[in-house]
Amino acid sequence: MCGIVGFLDKTNDKLAPAGRTILAMLNALGCRGPDSAGVALYGPPADGRFVLRVKVGDNGGSESAARRLGEFAQSLDAGAEITATGAYARLEVTSKIAAKEWAARIESLDGGIEVVSLGTSLEIVKQVGSPAKLEAAYGVSHMPGAHGIGHTRLSTESKVDLSHSQPFWGRGRPDLAIVHNGHITNYHQLRRQYEQRGVKFYTENDSEIIAIYLAEQLGAGLDLEAGMRGMLRDLDGSFCCVVATATEMGFVKDQFALKPLLVAETDGFVAIATEEIAMRAALPGDYEAHEPGAREVKVWRR
């Protein structure tokens, strides 16, 4: 029942910022997922820097945790910059320290601190409640960028909080993010296999396994399309998934094609959404939307 969207501007940023477009799409899908909303947006790359979004609290954030986080980041990188809004701290730090090491060191500070996203251009923000609440808290419509993905969630198998909300970062893989509608029915089997190899899980949400899986596939040298095709082989269930990196966006539909997904492509943009109403609300004009078939995978590159 969740709603998922994706948007890629093909005009070299001549259209509205991706945040504004994706928010409009999510607003149109709000009835599909009243529990939470989130976006993964790709802004201008930070030169030689990582941008991190770090959860420091579930209920309005924690000033003391954010202050301690900033002091710790500056002990590792004297040029680290930190700001805090709501439940999140935003860090800009050197990329000379590996992504996995940054995440591990930051989370070692406190059990309640969680790195939500990390990359040269990726920023994920999530909020319990409607897309309107997400906008009120973080001003998503003003966030720059030329592509991104979004999610509205109806919880069917796990708790409602920031950690269980989507999008999910492909942990350890800079700039990888996913949104998912459906169920991964071999989730528990796959989770046990990953945990036996030392992989840490942060939620009971089956969508998290997709982010972990794709991060591993890309880390092994596969490209994004090959990684998503691997999902058709290794993940069971009925699902649609939209995936993005710093330079790409794509989707995959499972072998049953039970979950709805619409795609529209023009000379100016690519739009993906659970329902066509989301595209029409955000992107007026004369264009056609079509529904991909079973086992279909497609990737667009900026």
Side-chain angles (χ1 to χ4, degrees), residues 117-211:
S117 67
L118 185 157
T120 60
S121 60
L122 167 65
E123 296 194 48
I124 291 176
V125 290
K126 314 185 239 188
Q127 176 76 27
V128 172
S130 67
K133 287 187 66 176
L134 182 73
E135 168 69 358
Y138 301 108
V140 168
S141 65
H142 300 291
M143 294 177 69
H147 73 292
I149 59 179
H151 189 273
T152 60
R153 181 173 184 237
L154 176 67
S155 175
T156 57
E157 38 53 64
S158 57
K159 69 174 71 172
V160 177
D161 64 9
L162 289 178
S163 294
H164 284 76
S165 304
Q166 296 189 49
F168 279 113
W169 171 45
R171 297 193 64 85
R173 183 77 185 181
D175 293 306
L176 173 65
I178 70 100
V179 290
H180 163 239
N181 176 33
H183 291 91
I184 307 302
T185 54
N186 61 338
Y187 160 73
H188 292 287
Q189 176 187 3
L190 291 172
R191 176 168 177 152
R192 286 194 298 271
Q193 293 173 1
Y194 277 114
E195 288 178 328
Q196 288 169 1
R197 287 155 46 193
V199 175
K200 179 181 178 180
F201 282 74
Y202 291 75
T203 76
E204 299 294 328
N205 189 328
D206 62 342
S207 303
E208 186 182 9
I209 202 83
I210 300 173

Coordinates of all heavy atoms in Angstrom, one line a residue, residues 117-211:
S117 N 22.1 8.7 6.2 CA 22.6 8.8 4.9 C 24.0 9.3 4.9 O 24.4 10.1 5.8 CB 21.7 9.6 3.9 OG 21.7 11.0 4.3
L118 N 24.8 9.0 3.8 CA 26.2 9.4 3.7 C 26.5 9.4 2.2 O 26.2 8.4 1.5 CB 27.1 8.6 4.5 CG 28.6 9.0 4.5 CD1 29.3 8.4 5.7 CD2 29.4 8.5 3.3
G119 N 27.1 10.5 1.7 CA 27.5 10.5 0.3 C 28.1 11.8 -0.1 O 28.2 12.8 0.8
T120 N 28.5 12.0 -1.3 CA 29.0 13.3 -1.8 C 27.9 14.2 -2.1 O 28.1 15.4 -2.2 CB 29.9 13.1 -3.0 OG1 29.2 12.5 -4.0 CG2 31.2 12.2 -2.6
S121 N 26.7 13.6 -2.4 CA 25.5 14.5 -2.8 C 24.2 14.0 -2.2 O 23.3 14.8 -2.1 CB 25.4 14.5 -4.3 OG 25.2 13.3 -4.9
L122 N 24.2 12.8 -1.6 CA 22.9 12.3 -1.1 C 22.6 12.9 0.3 O 23.5 13.0 1.1 CB 23.0 10.8 -1.0 CG 22.0 10.0 -0.1 CD1 20.6 10.1 -0.8 CD2 22.4 8.6 0.1
E123 N 21.3 13.2 0.5 CA 20.8 13.6 1.8 C 19.4 12.9 1.9 O 18.5 13.2 1.1 CB 20.7 15.1 2.0 CG 22.1 15.7 2.0 CD 22.0 17.2 2.5 OE1 21.4 17.4 3.6 OE2 22.6 18.1 1.8
I124 N 19.2 12.2 3.0 CA 17.9 11.5 3.3 C 17.4 12.2 4.5 O 18.1 12.4 5.5 CB 18.1 10.0 3.6 CG1 18.4 9.3 2.3 CG2 16.8 9.5 4.2 CD1 18.7 7.8 2.5
V125 N 16.1 12.6 4.4 CA 15.3 13.1 5.6 C 14.0 12.4 5.6 O 13.4 12.1 4.6 CB 15.1 14.6 5.6 CG1 16.4 15.3 5.9 CG2 14.5 15.1 4.3
K126 N 13.6 12.0 6.8 CA 12.3 11.2 7.0 C 11.6 11.9 8.2 O 12.2 12.5 9.1 CB 12.6 9.8 7.3 CG 13.6 9.1 6.4 CD 13.7 7.6 6.7 CE 15.1 7.2 7.0 NZ 15.3 5.7 7.1
Q127 N 10.3 11.7 8.2 CA 9.5 12.2 9.3 C 8.3 11.3 9.5 O 7.6 10.9 8.6 CB 9.0 13.6 8.9 CG 8.1 14.3 9.9 CD 8.8 14.8 11.1 OE1 10.0 15.1 11.0 NE2 8.1 14.9 12.2
V128 N 8.0 11.0 10.8 CA 6.7 10.3 11.1 C 5.6 11.2 10.8 O 5.6 12.4 11.1 CB 6.7 9.9 12.6 CG1 5.4 9.3 13.0 CG2 7.8 8.9 12.9
G129 N 4.6 10.7 10.0 CA 3.5 11.5 9.6 C 3.4 11.8 8.1 O 4.1 11.1 7.4
S130 N 2.7 12.8 7.7 CA 2.4 13.1 6.3 C 3.6 13.8 5.6 O 4.5 14.3 6.3 CB 1.2 14.0 6.2 OG 1.5 15.2 6.8
P131 N 3.6 13.8 4.3 CA 4.5 14.6 3.6 C 4.5 16.1 4.0 O 5.5 16.8 3.9 CB 4.1 14.4 2.1 CG 3.5 13.1 2.0 CD 2.7 13.0 3.4
A132 N 3.3 16.6 4.3 CA 3.2 18.0 4.8 C 4.0 18.2 6.0 O 4.7 19.3 6.2 CB 1.7 18.4 5.0
K133 N 4.0 17.2 6.9 CA 4.9 17.4 8.2 C 6.3 17.3 7.8 O 7.2 18.0 8.4 CB 4.5 16.2 9.1 CG 3.2 16.4 9.8 CD 3.0 15.4 10.9 CE 3.9 15.5 12.1 NZ 3.7 14.6 13.2
L134 N 6.7 16.5 6.8 CA 8.1 16.5 6.4 C 8.5 17.8 5.8 O 9.6 18.3 6.2 CB 8.2 15.4 5.3 CG 9.6 15.1 4.7 CD1 10.5 14.4 5.8 CD2 9.6 14.4 3.4
E135 N 7.7 18.4 5.1 CA 8.0 19.7 4.5 C 8.1 20.8 5.6 O 9.0 21.6 5.6 CB 6.9 20.1 3.5 CG 6.9 21.6 3.1 CD 8.1 22.0 2.2 OE1 9.0 21.1 2.0 OE2 8.2 23.1 1.8
A136 N 7.2 20.7 6.6 CA 7.2 21.7 7.7 C 8.5 21.6 8.5 O 9.0 22.6 9.0 CB 6.0 21.5 8.6
A137 N 9.0 20.4 8.7 CA 10.1 20.2 9.5 C 11.5 20.5 8.8 O 12.4 21.0 9.4 CB 10.2 18.8 10.0
Y138 N 11.5 20.2 7.5 CA 12.8 20.2 6.8 C 12.9 21.1 5.5 O 13.9 21.2 4.9 CB 13.3 18.8 6.5 CG 13.4 18.0 7.8 CD1 12.5 17.0 8.1 CD2 14.4 18.3 8.7 CE1 12.6 16.3 9.3 CE2 14.5 17.6 9.9 CZ 13.6 16.6 10.2 OH 13.7 15.9 11.4
G139 N 11.7 21.6 5.1 CA 11.8 22.5 3.9 C 12.2 21.7 2.7 O 13.0 22.2 1.9
V140 N 11.7 20.5 2.5 CA 12.1 19.7 1.4 C 12.0 20.4 0.0 O 12.8 20.2 -0.9 CB 11.3 18.3 1.4 CG1 11.5 17.6 0.1 CG2 11.7 17.5 2.6
S141 N 10.9 21.2 -0.1 CA 10.7 21.8 -1.4 C 11.8 22.8 -1.8 O 11.9 23.1 -3.0 CB 9.3 22.5 -1.4 OG 9.4 23.6 -0.5
H142 N 12.6 23.2 -0.9 CA 13.7 24.1 -1.2 C 15.0 23.5 -1.3 O 16.0 24.1 -1.6 CB 13.8 25.2 -0.1 CG 12.5 26.0 0.1 ND1 12.1 26.9 -0.9 CD2 11.6 26.0 1.1 CE1 10.9 27.4 -0.5 NE2 10.6 26.9 0.7
M143 N 15.1 22.1 -1.1 CA 16.3 21.4 -1.2 C 16.8 21.3 -2.7 O 16.0 20.8 -3.5 CB 16.2 20.1 -0.5 CG 16.0 20.2 1.0 SD 15.8 18.6 1.8 CE 17.5 17.9 1.7
P144 N 18.0 21.6 -3.0 CA 18.4 21.6 -4.4 C 18.7 20.2 -4.9 O 18.8 19.2 -4.1 CB 19.7 22.4 -4.4 CG 20.2 22.2 -3.0 CD 19.0 22.1 -2.1
G145 N 18.8 20.0 -6.2 CA 19.1 18.7 -6.7 C 18.4 18.5 -8.0 O 17.3 19.1 -8.3
A146 N 18.9 17.6 -8.8 CA 18.2 17.3 -10.1 C 17.6 15.9 -10.1 O 16.9 15.6 -11.1 CB 19.3 17.4 -11.2
H147 N 17.8 15.1 -9.1 CA 17.1 13.8 -9.0 C 16.9 13.4 -7.6 O 17.6 13.9 -6.7 CB 17.7 12.7 -9.9 CG 19.0 12.2 -9.4 ND1 20.2 12.9 -9.4 CD2 19.3 10.9 -9.0 CE1 21.2 12.1 -8.9 NE2 20.7 10.9 -8.7
G148 N 16.0 12.4 -7.4 CA 15.8 11.9 -6.1 C 14.6 10.9 -6.1 O 14.0 10.7 -7.1
I149 N 14.4 10.3 -4.9 CA 13.3 9.4 -4.7 C 12.6 9.7 -3.4 O 13.1 10.4 -2.6 CB 13.9 7.9 -4.7 CG1 14.9 7.7 -3.6 CG2 14.5 7.6 -6.1 CD1 15.5 6.3 -3.5
G150 N 11.4 9.2 -3.3 CA 10.6 9.4 -2.1 C 9.6 8.3 -1.7 O 9.4 7.4 -2.6
H151 N 9.1 8.4 -0.5 CA 8.3 7.3 0.0 C 7.3 7.8 1.0 O 7.5 8.7 1.8 CB 9.2 6.3 0.7 CG 8.6 5.0 1.1 ND1 7.9 4.8 2.3 CD2 8.5 3.8 0.5 CE1 7.4 3.6 2.4 NE2 7.8 2.9 1.3
T152 N 6.0 7.3 0.9 CA 5.0 7.4 2.0 C 4.7 6.0 2.5 O 4.5 5.1 1.7 CB 3.8 8.1 1.5 OG1 3.2 7.3 0.4 CG2 4.1 9.5 1.0
R153 N 4.7 5.8 3.8 CA 4.6 4.5 4.3 C 3.3 4.2 5.1 O 2.9 5.0 5.9 CB 5.8 4.3 5.3 CG 5.9 2.9 5.9 CD 7.1 2.7 6.8 NE 7.2 1.4 7.2 CZ 7.3 1.0 8.5 NH1 7.4 2.0 9.4 NH2 7.4 -0.2 8.9
L154 N 2.8 3.0 4.8 CA 1.8 2.4 5.6 C 2.4 1.2 6.2 O 2.8 0.2 5.5 CB 0.6 1.9 4.7 CG -0.5 1.2 5.5 CD1 -1.2 2.1 6.5 CD2 -1.5 0.6 4.5
S155 N 2.6 1.2 7.5 CA 3.3 0.1 8.2 C 2.5 -1.1 8.3 O 1.3 -1.1 8.7 CB 3.7 0.5 9.6 OG 4.3 -0.5 10.3
T156 N 3.0 -2.3 7.8 CA 2.3 -3.5 7.8 C 3.0 -4.6 8.6 O 2.5 -5.6 8.9 CB 2.0 -4.1 6.4 OG1 3.3 -4.2 5.7 CG2 1.1 -3.1 5.6
E157 N 4.3 -4.4 8.9 CA 5.1 -5.5 9.6 C 6.1 -5.0 10.6 O 6.9 -5.8 11.1 CB 5.8 -6.4 8.5 CG 6.4 -5.7 7.3 CD 7.3 -4.5 7.6 OE1 8.4 -4.7 8.1 OE2 7.0 -3.4 7.2
S158 N 6.2 -3.7 10.9 CA 7.1 -3.2 11.8 C 6.7 -1.8 12.4 O 5.8 -1.2 11.8 CB 8.5 -3.1 11.2 OG 8.6 -2.3 10.1
K159 N 7.4 -1.4 13.4 CA 7.0 -0.2 14.1 C 7.1 1.1 13.2 O 7.7 1.1 12.2 CB 7.8 0.0 15.4 CG 9.3 0.3 15.1 CD 10.0 0.7 16.4 CE 10.3 -0.6 17.2 NZ 11.2 -0.3 18.3
V160 N 6.4 2.1 13.7 CA 6.4 3.4 13.1 C 7.3 4.3 13.8 O 7.0 4.8 14.9 CB 5.0 4.0 13.0 CG1 5.0 5.4 12.3 CG2 4.1 3.1 12.2
D161 N 8.5 4.6 13.3 CA 9.5 5.6 13.8 C 10.4 6.0 12.7 O 10.3 5.5 11.6 CB 10.2 5.0 15.0 CG 11.1 3.8 14.7 OD1 11.3 3.5 13.5 OD2 11.6 3.2 15.7
L162 N 11.3 6.9 13.0 CA 12.2 7.4 12.0 C 13.1 6.3 11.4 O 13.3 6.2 10.1 CB 13.1 8.5 12.5 CG 12.5 9.8 12.9 CD1 13.5 10.8 13.5 CD2 11.8 10.4 11.7
S163 N 13.6 5.4 12.2 CA 14.5 4.3 11.7 C 13.8 3.4 10.7 O 14.4 3.0 9.7 CB 15.1 3.5 12.8 OG 15.9 4.3 13.6
H164 N 12.5 3.1 11.0 CA 11.8 2.2 10.1 C 11.2 2.8 8.9 O 10.7 2.1 8.0 CB 10.7 1.5 10.9 CG 11.2 0.4 11.8 ND1 11.8 0.7 13.0 CD2 11.1 -0.9 11.7 CE1 12.1 -0.4 13.6 NE2 11.7 -1.4 12.9
S165 N 11.2 4.1 8.8 CA 10.7 4.9 7.7 C 11.7 4.7 6.5 O 12.9 4.4 6.7 CB 10.5 6.3 8.0 OG 9.7 6.5 9.1
Q166 N 11.2 5.1 5.3 CA 12.0 5.0 4.1 C 12.2 6.4 3.5 O 11.4 7.3 3.8 CB 11.4 4.1 3.1 CG 11.3 2.7 3.5 CD 10.8 1.7 2.4 OE1 11.4 1.8 1.2 NE2 9.9 0.9 2.6
P167 N 13.2 6.6 2.7 CA 14.2 5.7 2.1 C 15.2 5.1 3.0 O 15.4 5.7 4.1 CB 14.9 6.6 1.0 CG 14.0 7.8 0.9 CD 13.4 8.0 2.2
F168 N 15.8 4.1 2.5 CA 17.0 3.5 3.3 C 18.3 3.7 2.5 O 18.3 3.7 1.3 CB 16.8 2.0 3.4 CG 15.9 1.5 4.5 CD1 14.7 0.9 4.2 CD2 16.3 1.7 5.8 CE1 13.8 0.6 5.2 CE2 15.4 1.3 6.9 CZ 14.2 0.8 6.6
W169 N 19.3 4.1 3.3 CA 20.6 4.2 2.7 C 21.3 2.8 2.5 O 21.1 2.0 3.4 CB 21.5 5.1 3.6 CG 23.0 5.1 3.3 CD1 23.5 5.3 2.1 CD2 24.1 5.0 4.2 NE1 24.9 5.3 2.2 CE2 25.2 5.1 3.5 CE3 24.1 4.8 5.6 CZ2 26.5 5.0 4.0 CZ3 25.4 4.8 6.2 CH2 26.6 4.9 5.4
G170 N 22.0 2.6 1.4 CA 22.8 1.4 1.3 C 24.0 1.5 2.1 O 25.1 1.9 1.6
R171 N 23.9 1.1 3.3 CA 25.0 1.4 4.3 C 26.4 1.0 3.9 O 26.6 -0.1 3.4 CB 24.6 0.6 5.6 CG 23.3 1.1 6.3 CD 23.2 0.6 7.7 NE 24.3 1.2 8.5 CZ 24.2 2.4 9.1 NH1 23.2 3.1 9.0 NH2 25.2 2.8 9.9
G172 N 27.3 1.9 4.0 CA 28.6 1.7 3.6 C 28.9 2.1 2.2 O 30.1 2.2 1.8
R173 N 27.9 2.3 1.4 CA 28.1 2.6 0.0 C 27.6 4.0 -0.2 O 26.4 4.3 -0.2 CB 27.2 1.7 -0.9 CG 27.4 1.9 -2.4 CD 28.7 1.3 -2.9 NE 28.9 1.6 -4.3 CZ 30.0 1.2 -4.9 NH1 30.9 0.4 -4.3 NH2 30.2 1.5 -6.2
P174 N 28.5 5.0 -0.4 CA 28.1 6.4 -0.5 C 27.1 6.6 -1.7 O 27.2 6.0 -2.7 CB 29.5 7.1 -0.9 CG 30.5 6.2 -0.3 CD 30.0 4.8 -0.5
D175 N 26.1 7.4 -1.4 CA 25.1 7.9 -2.4 C 24.2 6.8 -2.9 O 23.5 7.1 -3.9 CB 25.9 8.5 -3.5 CG 26.6 9.8 -3.2 OD1 26.0 10.7 -2.6 OD2 27.8 9.9 -3.4
L176 N 24.0 5.7 -2.2 CA 23.1 4.7 -2.6 C 21.8 4.8 -1.7 O 22.0 4.7 -0.5 CB 23.7 3.3 -2.6 CG 22.7 2.1 -2.8 CD1 22.2 2.1 -4.3 CD2 23.5 0.8 -2.5
A177 N 20.6 4.8 -2.4 CA 19.4 4.9 -1.6 C 18.3 4.1 -2.3 O 18.3 4.0 -3.5 CB 18.9 6.3 -1.3
I178 N 17.3 3.6 -1.5 CA 16.2 2.8 -2.1 C 14.9 3.2 -1.5 O 14.9 3.6 -0.3 CB 16.5 1.3 -2.0 CG1 16.3 0.8 -0.5 CG2 17.8 0.9 -2.5 CD1 15.0 0.1 -0.2
V179 N 13.8 3.0 -2.2 CA 12.5 3.0 -1.7 C 11.8 1.8 -2.2 O 12.1 1.3 -3.4 CB 11.7 4.3 -2.0 CG1 12.2 5.5 -1.3 CG2 11.6 4.6 -3.5
H180 N 10.8 1.2 -1.5 CA 10.3 -0.1 -1.8 C 8.8 -0.2 -1.4 O 8.4 0.3 -0.4 CB 11.1 -1.1 -1.0 CG 10.5 -2.5 -0.9 ND1 10.2 -3.1 0.3 CD2 10.0 -3.4 -1.9 CE1 9.6 -4.2 0.1 NE2 9.5 -4.4 -1.2
N181 N 8.0 -0.8 -2.3 CA 6.6 -1.1 -2.0 C 6.5 -2.6 -2.2 O 6.7 -3.1 -3.3 CB 5.7 -0.3 -2.9 CG 4.2 -0.7 -2.6 OD1 3.8 -1.0 -1.5 ND2 3.4 -0.6 -3.7
G182 N 6.1 -3.3 -1.2 CA 5.9 -4.8 -1.3 C 6.4 -5.5 -0.1 O 6.5 -5.0 1.0
H183 N 6.6 -6.8 -0.3 CA 7.1 -7.7 0.8 C 8.2 -8.6 0.2 O 8.1 -9.2 -0.8 CB 6.0 -8.5 1.4 CG 5.0 -7.7 2.1 ND1 3.8 -7.2 1.5 CD2 5.0 -7.3 3.4 CE1 3.2 -6.5 2.4 NE2 3.8 -6.6 3.6
I184 N 9.3 -8.7 1.0 CA 10.4 -9.6 0.7 C 10.1 -10.8 1.6 O 10.4 -10.8 2.8 CB 11.8 -9.0 1.0 CG1 11.9 -7.6 0.2 CG2 12.9 -10.0 0.5 CD1 11.7 -7.7 -1.3
T185 N 9.6 -11.9 1.0 CA 9.1 -13.0 1.8 C 10.3 -13.9 2.3 O 10.0 -14.7 3.2 CB 8.1 -13.9 1.0 OG1 8.7 -14.2 -0.3 CG2 6.9 -13.0 0.7
N186 N 11.5 -13.8 1.7 CA 12.6 -14.6 2.3 C 13.5 -13.6 3.1 O 14.7 -13.9 3.3 CB 13.4 -15.3 1.2 CG 14.0 -14.4 0.2 OD1 13.5 -13.2 0.0 ND2 15.0 -14.8 -0.5
Y187 N 12.9 -12.6 3.6 CA 13.7 -11.6 4.4 C 14.4 -12.2 5.6 O 15.6 -12.0 5.9 CB 12.7 -10.5 4.9 CG 13.2 -9.7 6.1 CD1 14.2 -8.8 6.0 CD2 12.6 -9.9 7.3 CE1 14.7 -8.0 7.1 CE2 13.0 -9.1 8.4 CZ 14.1 -8.2 8.3 OH 14.5 -7.5 9.4
H188 N 13.7 -13.0 6.4 CA 14.2 -13.6 7.6 C 15.4 -14.5 7.3 O 16.4 -14.5 8.0 CB 13.2 -14.3 8.5 CG 12.1 -13.3 9.0 ND1 12.4 -12.5 10.1 CD2 10.9 -13.1 8.7 CE1 11.3 -11.8 10.3 NE2 10.4 -12.1 9.5
Q189 N 15.2 -15.3 6.2 CA 16.3 -16.2 5.8 C 17.6 -15.4 5.4 O 18.7 -15.7 5.9 CB 15.9 -17.1 4.7 CG 17.0 -18.0 4.1 CD 16.5 -18.7 2.9 OE1 15.4 -18.5 2.4 NE2 17.3 -19.6 2.3
L190 N 17.4 -14.4 4.6 CA 18.5 -13.6 4.2 C 19.1 -12.8 5.3 O 20.3 -12.7 5.4 CB 18.0 -12.6 3.1 CG 17.6 -13.1 1.8 CD1 17.0 -12.1 0.9 CD2 18.8 -13.8 1.1
R191 N 18.3 -12.3 6.2 CA 18.8 -11.6 7.4 C 19.7 -12.5 8.2 O 20.8 -12.0 8.7 CB 17.6 -11.0 8.2 CG 18.1 -10.3 9.5 CD 17.0 -9.5 10.2 NE 17.5 -9.0 11.4 CZ 17.1 -7.9 12.0 NH1 16.1 -7.2 11.4 NH2 17.6 -7.4 13.1
R192 N 19.3 -13.7 8.5 CA 20.1 -14.6 9.3 C 21.5 -14.8 8.6 O 22.5 -14.8 9.2 CB 19.4 -16.0 9.5 CG 18.3 -15.9 10.5 CD 17.9 -17.3 10.9 NE 17.3 -18.1 9.7 CZ 16.1 -18.1 9.4 NH1 15.2 -17.3 10.1 NH2 15.6 -18.8 8.4
Q193 N 21.5 -14.9 7.3 CA 22.7 -15.1 6.5 C 23.6 -13.9 6.6 O 24.8 -14.1 6.8 CB 22.4 -15.4 5.0 CG 21.7 -16.8 4.8 CD 21.2 -16.9 3.4 OE1 21.5 -16.1 2.5 NE2 20.6 -18.1 3.1
Y194 N 23.0 -12.7 6.5 CA 23.8 -11.5 6.7 C 24.4 -11.4 8.1 O 25.5 -11.0 8.3 CB 23.0 -10.3 6.3 CG 23.0 -10.0 4.8 CD1 21.8 -10.1 4.1 CD2 24.1 -9.7 4.1 CE1 21.7 -9.9 2.7 CE2 24.1 -9.4 2.7 CZ 22.9 -9.5 2.0 OH 22.9 -9.3 0.7
E195 N 23.5 -11.6 9.1 CA 24.0 -11.5 10.5 C 25.1 -12.5 10.8 O 26.0 -12.1 11.6 CB 22.8 -11.7 11.4 CG 21.8 -10.5 11.3 CD 20.6 -10.7 12.2 OE1 20.2 -11.8 12.4 OE2 20.1 -9.7 12.8
Q196 N 25.1 -13.6 10.2 CA 26.1 -14.6 10.5 C 27.5 -14.1 9.9 O 28.5 -14.5 10.3 CB 25.8 -16.0 9.8 CG 24.7 -16.7 10.6 CD 24.1 -17.9 9.8 OE1 24.6 -18.2 8.7 NE2 23.2 -18.6 10.4
R197 N 27.4 -13.2 8.9 CA 28.6 -12.6 8.4 C 28.9 -11.2 9.0 O 29.8 -10.5 8.6 CB 28.4 -12.4 6.9 CG 28.4 -13.7 6.1 CD 27.7 -13.6 4.8 NE 27.9 -12.4 4.0 CZ 27.2 -12.0 3.0 NH1 26.1 -12.7 2.6 NH2 27.5 -11.0 2.3
G198 N 28.2 -10.9 10.1 CA 28.6 -9.7 10.9 C 27.9 -8.4 10.5 O 28.2 -7.4 11.0
V199 N 26.9 -8.5 9.6 CA 26.1 -7.3 9.1 C 25.2 -6.9 10.2 O 24.4 -7.7 10.7 CB 25.4 -7.6 7.8 CG1 24.6 -6.4 7.4 CG2 26.4 -7.9 6.7
K200 N 25.1 -5.6 10.5 CA 24.2 -5.1 11.5 C 22.9 -4.6 10.9 O 23.0 -3.9 9.9 CB 24.9 -4.0 12.3 CG 24.0 -3.3 13.4 CD 24.7 -2.2 14.1 CE 23.8 -1.5 15.1 NZ 24.5 -0.4 15.8
F201 N 21.8 -5.0 11.5 CA 20.5 -4.4 11.0 C 20.0 -3.4 12.0 O 20.3 -3.5 13.2 CB 19.5 -5.6 10.9 CG 19.7 -6.4 9.7 CD1 20.7 -7.3 9.5 CD2 18.8 -6.3 8.6 CE1 20.9 -8.1 8.4 CE2 19.0 -7.0 7.4 CZ 20.0 -7.9 7.3
Y202 N 19.3 -2.4 11.5 CA 18.9 -1.3 12.4 C 17.3 -1.3 12.6 O 16.8 -0.6 13.4 CB 19.3 0.0 11.8 CG 20.8 0.2 11.8 CD1 21.6 -0.4 11.0 CD2 21.3 1.1 12.8 CE1 23.0 -0.3 11.0 CE2 22.7 1.3 12.8 CZ 23.5 0.6 12.0 OH 24.9 0.8 12.0
T203 N 16.6 -2.2 11.8 CA 15.2 -2.2 11.9 C 14.7 -3.6 11.7 O 15.5 -4.5 11.4 CB 14.6 -1.3 10.8 OG1 14.7 -2.0 9.5 CG2 15.2 0.0 10.6
E204 N 13.4 -3.8 11.8 CA 12.7 -5.0 11.5 C 11.9 -4.9 10.1 O 11.1 -5.7 9.8 CB 11.7 -5.4 12.6 CG 12.3 -5.6 13.9 CD 13.2 -6.8 14.0 OE1 12.9 -7.8 13.2 OE2 14.2 -6.8 14.7
N205 N 12.3 -3.8 9.4 CA 11.6 -3.5 8.1 C 12.3 -4.4 7.0 O 13.5 -4.3 6.8 CB 11.7 -2.0 7.8 CG 10.9 -1.6 6.6 OD1 10.7 -2.4 5.7 ND2 10.4 -0.4 6.7
D206 N 11.5 -5.2 6.3 CA 12.1 -6.0 5.2 C 12.7 -5.2 4.1 O 13.6 -5.7 3.4 CB 11.0 -7.0 4.7 CG 9.8 -6.3 4.0 OD1 9.6 -5.1 4.2 OD2 9.1 -7.0 3.2
S207 N 12.3 -3.9 4.0 CA 12.9 -3.1 2.9 C 14.4 -2.9 3.2 O 15.2 -2.6 2.2 CB 12.2 -1.8 2.8 OG 10.8 -1.9 2.6
E208 N 14.8 -2.9 4.4 CA 16.2 -2.7 4.7 C 17.2 -3.7 4.1 O 18.3 -3.4 3.7 CB 16.5 -2.7 6.3 CG 17.9 -2.4 6.7 CD 18.1 -2.5 8.2 OE1 17.2 -3.0 8.9 OE2 19.1 -2.0 8.7
I209 N 16.6 -4.9 3.8 CA 17.5 -6.0 3.2 C 17.8 -5.6 1.8 O 18.9 -6.0 1.3 CB 16.8 -7.3 3.3 CG1 17.8 -8.5 3.2 CG2 15.7 -7.5 2.2 CD1 18.4 -8.9 4.4
I210 N 17.0 -4.8 1.1 CA 17.3 -4.4 -0.3 C 18.5 -3.5 -0.3 O 19.4 -3.6 -1.2 CB 16.0 -3.8 -0.9 CG1 14.8 -4.7 -0.9 CG2 16.4 -3.3 -2.3 CD1 13.5 -4.1 -1.4
A211 N 18.5 -2.5 0.6 CA 19.6 -1.6 0.6 C 20.9 -2.3 0.9 O 22.0 -2.0 0.3 CB 19.3 -0.5 1.7

